[in-house]
Amino acid sequence: MNQAVLILIKPDGLKKSLTGNILTRLSETKLEIIAAKMVRVSQELACEHYKHLKGKPFFNDLIKYLQGELHDRKKVMALVYWGPEAIKKCRELAGATNPEEAESTSIRGSYGRITTSGVYENVIHVSSDVTEAEREIKLWFNPEEIIVDLYSIKSVEEKKKLAVWA
Ligand code: DAT
Ligand code: MG
């Protein structure tokens, strides 16, 4: 069964110039990239993404981290990978949430750290299960940005000014 999974290369990964390394590691999975873009993360988007952690003592720092405020890199790279067992394969490569506990050869084990204030700078986000993956992919991407028809869509009338190339 093919699965889709949301991957984020977080601001520390971008600042440390790890994009190429991370994409190379992920290519070991033989999964297909079906969407990719750079995103400037609003507070609203960050809070919605991590809403399951609201109330945790580290929540505010986590939001600042995802928004790039700790790294002077106000962007993340968002991708959707697709293929058999995509979530398990990507989470294995990413390693444990706590970079100190992650296997040393995993992405988080290789490149992550815990700051003195306790933020897990773990370089990469990977959806945790199929339900979360669907919620997160719909949060980060519009249907036309994904080259596979993953989820059902509907048409809506929208009269909005679009920016086009001058
Ligand atoms: P994962 O990112 O492995 O799915 P999660 O969804 O439980 O883990 O947590 C999301 C992020 O929150 C995680 O990547 C880093 C941060 N985090 C989780 N637990 C933490 C903790 N105890 N202290 C500091 N940051 C934490
Ligand atoms: Mg998670």
Side-chain angles (χ1 to χ4, degrees), residues 80-144:
V80 180
Y81 278 77
W82 188 66
E85 305 270 13
I87 296 174
K88 184 164 161 268
K89 285 176 186 166
C90 292
R91 282 194 74 93
E92 262 173 30
L93 270 183
T97 304
N98 179 339
E100 298 295 327
E101 286 173 3
E103 193 152 347
S104 61
T105 53
S106 67
I107 294 169
R108 288 166 164 179
S110 304
Y111 305 121
R113 68 169 191 157
I114 304 179
T115 67
T116 47
S117 46
V119 179
Y120 291 1
E121 292 185 357
N122 57 9
V123 179
I124 185 177
H125 167 81
V126 183
S127 311
S128 57
D129 56 52
V130 173
T131 311
E132 268 295 279
E134 179 173 346
R135 185 188 77 83
E136 293 172 357
I137 290 167
K138 288 177 172 174
L139 180 65
W140 287 81
F141 287 92
N142 292 320
E144 73 271 14

Side-chain angles (χ1 to χ4, degrees), residues 1 4 6 16 21 23 28 32 41 49 62-63 71 73 75 81 85-86 102 107 115 121 127 131 134 150 165-166:
M1 245 303 253
L6 179 80
K16 292 174 177 171
N21 295 27
L23 296 182
E28 291 166 22
E32 195 183 333
V41 183
H49 178 75
L62 181 62
I63 297 308
H71 295 92
R73 284 287 187 290
K75 61 193 170 191
Y81 278 77
E85 305 270 13
I107 294 169
T115 67
E121 292 185 357
S127 311
T131 311
E134 179 173 346
L150 286 181
W165 303 123

